[in-house]
């Protein structure tokens, strides 16, 4: 096998790779979105469909991303080009990497706005501003925040700076150090909050809300949501995982690591639900509050509970950490590419990228106030960025990656990179990647678009 030389650093160990990729996967998608979409879509039945999607589509595509990254030893743009050329195909496959970089910028811009809200609530909880807050006040407070351009701008800026400081440090000093401390902290916080919610008195109600197998509530639409979400939550289809894979030490198992990452991501989502819903029920609040669940319902719940101020603070710290480690991976592909293409150091790369994503974020946050009336195809800027990335770009990116790894890349290369000794496991992966994943994504992708555009 031809060994490529990389100009980047690699992770200190296989465990660091697992932590970093889990850090990318576990984010706002797990703690904010998964609990409420589960509740709205039939609880247990939805969880089952979601698990099937993770196993049949998410895991095989994640293995393909890591595999291409590690074989190419470069940013997704250059890795796609080289791995395609190595198999005798056009270097234009790099376009998949380009689309990923663009999707990363776009996701970052609205992700950073929501992360800014999290930081604002963290500060408010810390200052004791939300003690015994009533429902009406909570709504006013959240709406007041959205209308306040300056406050949104401050917190969005703080978040961009936090992310860029880590990116500047590079793979070892920045990313690796960050995930080494933040991920264990995240797991401890989640565990503490789970125990807290177990003592709220409504744990079993929360449990049945999430796990009762309520098949009637499951619709075609929920299947679409489950698949779309399994993409977003595993950070697939835009090169984040590919970039992280390119820093993975050679001769470590890709399949085993990916199973671990997918498992941890799912576990965090389930535990987050179990930490949140009992608290909501214990305070007679509505679990189906949708996006407002975390910013309106939860502060009310925490505000009424013993020790709520401290646990509310810990909760927003947990969400903030999760968003932080995810956001880093959104800009890593572009950073790696700038280093390769222009030989830039990480510091100028981070500064340039920081300015670009900061500006995009300003556009996204303006859509709640000064640019509220500005619409693109009927969407506000914020909704447009969310819609196009989650429903179009990520599924499309994932589809291309599955088709590339399954149909274009030479099988000897994937065999070599994955090094799965058990022939049946390799076949199972290969068949799923060639047939199951692309067909499922294509069908879901088309249905999703069709429905949204109606
Ligand atoms: N997986 C993240 C979440 O669940 O919040 C979102 C995300 C991060 C998507 C990084 C894509 C990505 F590259």
């Amino acid at each position: 096998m031809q060994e490529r030389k990389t100009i980047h650093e690699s992770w200190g160990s296989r465990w660091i790779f697992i932590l970093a990729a889990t850090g990318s996967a576990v984010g706002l998608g797990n703690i904010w979105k998964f609990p409420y979409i589960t509740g709205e879509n039939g609880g247990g039945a939805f969880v089952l469909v979601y698990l099937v999607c993770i196993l049949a589509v998410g895991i095989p595509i994640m293995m393909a991303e890591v595999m291409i990254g590690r074989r190419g030893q470069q940013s997704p743009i250059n890795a796609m080009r080289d791995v395609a050329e190595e198999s005798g195909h056009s270097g234009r496959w790099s376009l998949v990497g380009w689309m990923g970089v663009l999707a990363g910028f776009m996701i970052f811009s609205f992700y950073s706005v929501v992360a800014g809200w999290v930081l604002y609530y963290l500060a408010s909880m810390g200052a004791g501003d939300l003690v015994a807050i009533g429902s009406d006040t909570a709504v006013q407070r959240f709406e007041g925040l959205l209308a306040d351009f300056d406050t949104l701008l401050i917190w969005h800026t703080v978040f961009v700076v936090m992310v860029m400081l880590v990116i500047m440090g590079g793979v070892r000093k920045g990313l690796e150090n960050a995930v080494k401390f933040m991920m264990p902290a995240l797991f401890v916080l989640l565990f503490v909050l789970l125990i807290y919610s177990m003592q709220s008195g409504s744990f079993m109600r929360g449990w049945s809300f999430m796990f009762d197998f309520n098949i009637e509530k499951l619709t075609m639409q929920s299947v679409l949501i489950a698949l779309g979400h399994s993409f977003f939550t595993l950070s697939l289809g835009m090169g984040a995982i590919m970039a992280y894979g390119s820093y993975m030490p050679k001769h470590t198992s890709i399949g085993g690591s990916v199973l671990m990452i997918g498992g941890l991501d799912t576990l965090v989502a389930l535990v987050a639900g179990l930490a949140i819903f009992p608290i909501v029920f214990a305070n007679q609040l509505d679990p189906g509050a949708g996006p407002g669940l975390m910013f309106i319902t939860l502060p009310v719940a925490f505000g009424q509970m013993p020790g709520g101020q401290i646990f509310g603070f810990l909760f927003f710290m947990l969400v903030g950490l999760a968003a932080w480690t995810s956001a880093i991976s959104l800009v890593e592909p572009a950073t790696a590419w700038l280093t390769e293409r222009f030989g830039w150091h990480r510091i100028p790369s981070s500064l340039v990228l920081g300015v670009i994503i900061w500006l995009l974020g300003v556009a996204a946050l303006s859509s709640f106030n000064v640019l509220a009336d500005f619409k693109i195809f009927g969407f506000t800027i914020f909704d447009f960025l969310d819609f196009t990335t989650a429903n179009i770009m990520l599924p499309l990116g994932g589809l291309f990656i599955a088709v590339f790894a399954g149909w274009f890349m030479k099988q000897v290369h994937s065999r070599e990179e994955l090094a799965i000794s058990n022939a049946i496991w390799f076949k199972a992966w290969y068949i799923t990647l060639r047939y199951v994943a692309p067909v499922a994504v294509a069908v879901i992708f088309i249905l999703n678009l069709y429905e949204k555009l109606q």
Side-chain angles (χ1 to χ4, degrees):
M1 178 175 89
Q2 157 209 1
E3 286 274 350
R4 280 192 186 79
K5 265 206 157 350
T6 176
I7 59 164
H8 304 287
E9 298 169 301
S10 2
W11 305 116
S13 70
R14 167 177 178 235
W15 276 105
I16 298 287
F17 165 72
I18 293 175
L19 275 191
T22 307
S24 165
V26 172
L28 296 170
N30 302 61
I31 306 177
W32 163 63
K33 204 167 170 200
F34 177 77
Y36 86 78
I37 57 176
T38 297
E40 285 176 349
N41 290 283
F46 177 81
V47 172
L48 200 69
V49 176
Y50 167 78
L51 291 178
V52 172
C53 292
I54 294 274
L55 270 178
V57 180
I59 301 281
I61 293 185
M62 193 187 251
M63 284 173 66
E65 278 208 30
V66 176
M67 171 185 87
I68 296 167
R70 190 170 69 177
R71 190 157 188 94
Q73 292 284 299
Q74 293 159 92
S75 63
I77 295 171
N78 290 335
M80 284 298 296
R81 182 198 61 206
D82 283 12
V83 175
E85 284 174 353
E86 183 188 40
S87 288
H89 296 291
S90 161
R92 296 248 173 81
W93 278 100
S94 62
L95 285 173
V96 176
W98 279 111
M99 187 172 77
V101 165
L102 185 65
F105 284 176
M106 291 169 68
I107 297 177
F108 194 103
S109 57
F110 70 86
Y111 213 77
S112 173
V113 174
V114 181
W117 302 343
V118 172
L119 295 179
Y120 167 87
Y121 274 84
L122 178 67
S124 309
M125 282 279 178
D129 287 356
L130 300 172
V131 180
I133 187 175
S135 294
D136 291 348
T137 331
V139 171
Q140 276 165 16
R141 199 170 173 111
F142 187 53
E143 286 176 354
L145 172 67
L146 295 189
D148 183 352
F149 178 87
D150 294 344
T151 308
L152 292 181
L153 185 67
I154 291 172
W155 291 111
H156 157 62
T157 309
V158 170
F159 189 73
V160 170
V161 171
M162 279 162 57
V163 172
M164 285 313 170
L165 283 175
V166 176
I167 291 281
M168 262 179 206
V171 177
R172 274 293 177 93
K173 282 212 207 85
L175 277 64
E176 178 161 331
N177 273 335
V179 298
K180 237 175 13 201
F181 294 106
M182 289 199 253
M183 293 313 286
L186 190 148
F187 287 118
V188 172
L189 282 176
L190 190 62
F191 185 69
V192 169
L193 285 158
L194 180 66
I195 305 281
Y196 181 67
S197 111
M198 278 177 163
Q199 287 166 352
S200 66
S202 298
F203 189 74
M204 283 327 288
R205 264 190 83 191
W207 178 277
S208 15
F209 182 64
M210 281 191 63
F211 296 117
D212 276 358
F213 195 88
N214 198 344
I215 195 83
E216 308 93 68
K217 279 211 204 145
L218 196 70
T219 59
M220 187 54 211
Q221 164 88 10
S222 359
V223 178
L224 304 184
I225 296 175
L227 189 110
H229 188 67
S230 64
F231 254 91
F232 186 78
T233 191
L234 291 177
S235 306
L236 297 178
M238 49 82 48
I241 294 294
M242 201 183 283
Y244 278 14
S246 73
Y247 311 141
M248 191 183 184
K250 284 268 170 195
H251 316 297
T252 47
S253 151
I254 291 181
S257 310
V258 166
L259 279 177
M260 182 84 100
I261 298 158
L264 282 172
D265 183 72
T266 310
L267 187 73
V268 172
L270 297 178
V271 174
L274 288 177
I276 291 173
F277 287 121
I279 300 180
V280 172
F281 286 123
N283 292 283
Q284 288 85 43
L285 293 165
D286 173 19
L293 186 66
M294 198 162 97
F295 299 104
I296 298 172
T297 317
L298 274 188
V300 175
F302 280 122
Q304 290 166 2
M305 295 173 73
Q309 199 185 327
I310 297 173
F311 288 97
F313 180 78
L314 293 180
F315 176 80
F316 282 105
M317 194 148 113
L318 164 76
V319 187
L321 285 180
W324 195 2
T325 51
S326 294
I328 294 166
S329 71
L330 286 166
V331 260
E332 183 56 28
T335 316
W337 182 78
L338 283 179
T339 318
E340 288 158 13
R341 179 69 180 77
F342 302 111
W344 286 7
H345 190 268
R346 306 268 308 191
I347 294 178
S349 313
S350 322
L351 290 175
V352 169
L353 291 173
V355 170
I356 297 175
I357 54 184
W358 181 80
L359 284 172
L360 281 171
V362 173
L365 66 85
S366 306
S367 62
F368 293 105
N369 36 69
V370 287
L371 292 180
D373 294 331
F374 181 78
K375 299 276 164 68
I376 314 169
F377 302 117
F379 293 108
T380 63
I381 302 173
F382 185 95
D383 291 340
F384 175 80
L385 290 164
D386 182 5
F387 174 79
T388 17
T389 50
N391 296 304
I392 301 177
M393 296 171 87
L394 296 188
L396 205 58
L399 180 67
F400 281 134
I401 288 164
V403 168
F404 173 75
W407 296 90
F408 287 83
M409 187 173 167
K410 286 205 174 112
Q411 207 196 95
V412 284
H413 295 163
S414 44
R415 264 186 200 284
E416 202 171 80
E417 207 58 50
L418 291 178
I420 300 176
S421 45
N422 183 324
I424 298 180
W425 279 115
F426 181 81
K427 255 224 135 59
W429 170 76
Y430 205 59
I431 291 174
T432 323
L433 191 78
R434 275 167 82 98
Y435 304 101
V436 183
V439 170
V441 174
V443 169
I444 301 298
F445 177 52
I446 292 163
L447 285 180
N448 222 345
L449 262 189
Y450 178 74
E451 203 170 60
K452 285 276 163 34
L453 296 178
Q454 283 236 314

